[in-house]
Amino acid sequence: MRPRHKKHLAERMEACAENLMVIPGDARDYREVIKEQAWIDTAAYFGNQNPVHMEIGCGMGTFIVTLAARHPEINFIAVEVVADVIVVAAEKARQAGLTNVLFVRVDAIYLPKYFPPHSIERLYLNFSCPYPKNSYKNHRLTHRKFLALYRMLLTEGGDLHQKTDNRHFFEFSLAEFSAERWTLTDVTLDLHADKETYPDNIVTEYEDRFLKLGQPIYRLEVKP
């Protein structure tokens, strides 16, 4: 379901200019686009050399804002392509007074153009669109074309954390990680049944919705 168009969106985006970067779309093949370098200097933006973690598909920001508040020693990049959604997340961070989160409106497929190789210590994929039709599987954020990009972005020893309510998507993700020789380091088929194992879990907007429906939440951690 698409979010409703926000009133005064342009003005709200402009008001978040300090912590929200908008990157225009590019109609060219992503494989050509990512060859170009337009790297964002995160050290200059944040004013430090702290590790950088990234959430791809930050939604309305509950997860990234909570995580950034818990970990001021880490810099966070929150990626989202939908303007009506990312503006809400950026506003939450501003209201919380957070200075360690940068929101970037960009399609994930172009990330290697804007972030240097091996510059991200951890990636988060929380409740990404499962694109249930098999004909759209290459749009899934755990399709092997995206895994190749993540491998470029992650530091040595870096990892990726995924959560989803969709079992088919989770099984697809496991198969893609395996095919691309990623190493599975942690997995649960029912996150909240194992909540003692994951006491620091942050419940996202989608996660709360699925929990109320009694659906299990699947979670994994992998390394390239």
Side-chain angles (χ1 to χ4, degrees):
M1 183 173 64
R2 291 186 176 184
R4 293 181 180 178
H5 183 69
K6 303 296 184 202
K7 292 182 179 180
H8 311 295
L9 177 61
E11 293 91 336
R12 291 171 67 180
M13 295 280 281
E14 180 63 28
C16 292
E18 287 188 4
N19 69 335
L20 173 57
M21 180 178 297
V22 178
I23 295 174
D26 196 314
R28 294 174 296 159
D29 187 290
Y30 78 94
R31 287 165 291 193
E32 294 301 316
V33 174
I34 64 175
K35 292 177 183 178
E36 304 167 358
Q37 296 178 359
W39 292 340
I40 297 169
D41 189 341
T42 56
Y45 175 82
F46 292 112
N48 59 57
Q49 297 288 338
N50 291 346
V52 179
H53 293 189
M54 175 184 288
E55 183 184 15
I56 300 177
C58 71
M60 293 188 180
T62 295
F63 176 84
I64 202 70
V65 168
T66 304
L67 191 63
R70 287 183 183 178
H71 295 283
E73 78 282 3
I74 297 172
N75 297 326
F76 293 92
I77 306 294
V79 175
E80 175 60 58
V81 72
V82 181
D84 291 296
V85 173
I86 198 171
V87 71
V88 175
E91 287 172 342
K92 285 181 181 178
R94 288 181 66 236
Q95 290 164 6
L98 297 174
T99 59
N100 61 329
V101 190
L102 171 62
F103 294 86
V104 182
R105 185 191 174 200
V106 65
D107 192 314
I109 201 69
Y110 302 123
L111 286 172
K113 174 177 177 177
Y114 299 102
F115 295 92
H118 312 303
S119 60
I120 308 299
E121 187 177 271
R122 175 168 295 162
L123 290 170
Y124 293 98
L125 301 177
N126 292 315
F127 301 93
S128 311
C129 181
Y131 290 99
K133 291 185 178 180
N134 196 52
S135 56
Y136 291 106
K137 66 182 180 182
N138 64 333
H139 293 290
R140 297 170 188 161
L141 287 179
T142 52
H143 186 274
R144 59 194 63 188
K145 75 176 183 182
F146 285 102
L147 300 191
L149 303 182
Y150 304 156
R151 193 185 293 272
M152 293 168 59
L153 291 173
L154 283 169
T155 61
E156 183 176 355
D159 62 359
L160 181 152
H161 295 189
Q162 180 190 17
K163 289 197 292 185
T164 182
D165 68 299
N166 188 295
R167 181 166 187 145
H168 175 70
F169 179 39
F170 192 68
E171 291 172 346
F172 170 85
S173 300
L174 287 169
E176 290 292 282
F177 286 124
S178 177
E180 295 303 302
R181 300 184 180 277
W182 287 57
T183 301
L184 183 68
T185 59
D186 188 80
V187 64
T188 177
L189 302 181
D190 194 339
L191 174 60
H192 291 270
D194 297 337
K195 59 184 178 182
E196 291 184 3
T197 307
Y198 306 96
D200 297 326
N201 178 57
I202 296 169
V203 178
T204 72
E205 298 95 343
Y206 279 107
E207 189 170 351
D208 183 59
R209 183 188 307 174
F210 298 132
L211 284 173
K212 288 176 180 175
L213 294 173
Q215 296 178 220
I217 304 301
Y218 307 98
R219 183 184 184 277
L220 61 76
E221 297 178 15
V222 286
K223 291 178 177 287

